[in-house]
Amino acid sequence: MDTPANQSIQIEAPDGTLLSASTYGAAPYGCVLVHGLGDGAYIWSSLLARGHFGSALLPNLRGHGDSAWDPLRRYTRTQYAADLCFMLERVPVRNIVLIGHSLGADIAIRVTAQMPHLVRALILVDGGAYMQASASEYIVSQFLAQPRSYRARDDYASLLECRLPLAERDALRALAGLALRRVSENEWVLKVDPAVGSHLDAPDDATLAPMLASVRCPILVARGAFSAMFNRTSIEKIVPLLHDGQLKTIARSGHSVMLDNPAALAAEMSSFAPVPATFHRGND
């Protein structure tokens, strides 16, 4: 799996936290992809390698990837949304398609509600309002239980292979290299603050649902066919909130849709927001 990111940028948040992002293609960026809990900008590499994206900005949430760890542990959904709004005001973007996975979908909804003039279309990948609480809690518990350091990148790759049996093995081994930072000859550590899992606030449907209902741009909700995040009740609650939206189920995928079946997800995205209309590189 080749990493299509072109360069890294850094922006200092108002509270002094250094936020980072990877870029793909040329500015102004027409697409912004927001990762979920414990991941980083690198999580989108398999999807971007499928094409359909002319230019993209891939932020790392505070405490994740190459963004700084917050000594005050301000790892809340509100803070993450504020960080992304701050970044979008300072990075060249235009008529963006905003894409979020899991926690990133929650953040994407909040940002769209706050900056509707900037977002042309919204794509929620296995996330949004009314997700199953048990599935969300399991993801947090899995994050908290995982080892933080590894003797070799292959050790973490083996863990990923156990957790993501549907994903391509080569892609997971490449992902392991991007998710770890080498600290000594025989030690690699995850690029995420362990405190993220214990300080992230719980999903708040009472806040998020009205925000999603207020969105007027086209919305695509892409759920994994085998994901525990959506059940019938979730679907029955979220679909009526979509003013101009559609729900698609991605075959052969669990919660990590962009890793399990990136080709199918990319095809749905391309159909929903074609390259000439939304992902065009250069002047449009």
Side-chain angles (χ1 to χ4, degrees):
M1 177 181 66
D2 294 330
T3 305
N6 292 342
Q7 61 180 345
S8 177
I9 61 174
Q10 292 186 328
I11 294 176
E12 185 175 331
D15 62 15
T17 302
L18 199 60
L19 306 173
S20 75
S22 297
T23 65
Y24 173 71
Y29 307 107
C31 182
V32 177
L33 299 97
V34 189
H35 65 80
L37 173 68
D39 295 324
Y42 51 79
I43 202 70
W44 301 106
S45 294
S46 289
L47 182 68
L48 291 177
R50 263 62 184 185
H52 309 299
F53 299 87
S55 61
L57 177 73
L58 299 88
N60 290 289
L61 302 179
R62 65 171 59 206
H64 293 75
D66 293 324
S67 286
W69 294 11
D70 185 346
L72 298 182
R73 299 177 176 179
R74 290 164 289 198
Y75 299 130
T76 66
R77 297 163 194 271
T78 299
Q79 182 63 62
Y80 285 137
D83 286 345
L84 184 53
C85 286
F86 184 79
M87 180 176 288
L88 294 180
E89 289 173 345
R90 285 154 182 80
V91 176
V93 294
R94 180 174 58 200
N95 295 329
I96 64 172
V97 176
L98 184 54
I99 302 167
H101 169 245
S102 194
L103 169 62
D106 184 309
I107 297 166
I109 292 171
R110 294 169 187 267
V111 171
T112 303
Q114 294 178 56
M115 308 181 77
H117 61 284
L118 192 61
V119 182
R120 181 182 296 184
L122 176 64
I123 300 179
L124 308 177
V125 181
D126 217 63
Y130 298 119
M131 299 299 96
Q132 289 302 292
S134 59
S136 297
E137 291 166 1
Y138 176 75
I139 289 173
V140 174
S141 66
Q142 192 177 50
F143 170 82
L144 292 172
Q146 70 183 340
R148 299 298 166 187
S149 65
Y150 302 83
R151 289 184 58 83
R153 286 180 293 183
D154 284 349
D155 293 340
Y156 183 54
S158 296
L159 175 62
L160 290 176
E161 289 170 14
C162 291
R163 289 185 172 180
L164 301 168
L166 298 176
E168 295 180 359
R169 185 172 181 178
D170 289 345
L172 293 182
R173 292 196 171 276
L175 179 64
L178 298 170
L180 297 170
R181 178 181 295 109
R182 190 170 193 169
V183 295
S184 70
E185 184 177 354
N186 295 312
E187 185 180 13
W188 299 77
V189 298
L190 289 171
K191 294 180 180 179
V192 60
D193 186 348
V196 166
S198 58
H199 284 72
L200 178 66
D201 48 337
D204 180 11
D205 292 328
T207 298
L208 199 63
M211 288 183 177
L212 182 57
S214 73
V215 173
R216 289 298 179 263
C217 68
I219 305 172
L220 170 65
V221 179
R223 62 178 291 268
F226 306 132
S227 174
M229 275 292 184
F230 282 85
N231 65 6
R232 183 178 297 276
T233 301
S234 302
I235 294 172
E236 289 176 349
K237 287 184 176 181
I238 197 171
V239 169
L241 298 177
L242 308 180
H243 173 75
D244 180 11
Q246 52 186 286
L247 173 71
K248 295 290 184 178
T249 298
I250 309 300
R252 203 184 60 78
S253 64
H255 180 56
S256 297
V257 186
M258 64 285 179
L259 296 175
D260 292 339
N261 198 344
L265 179 58
E268 288 292 352
M269 288 180 172
S270 181
S271 176
F272 172 71
V275 174
T278 57
F279 296 156
H280 182 66
R281 180 173 181 172
N283 297 325
D284 58 8

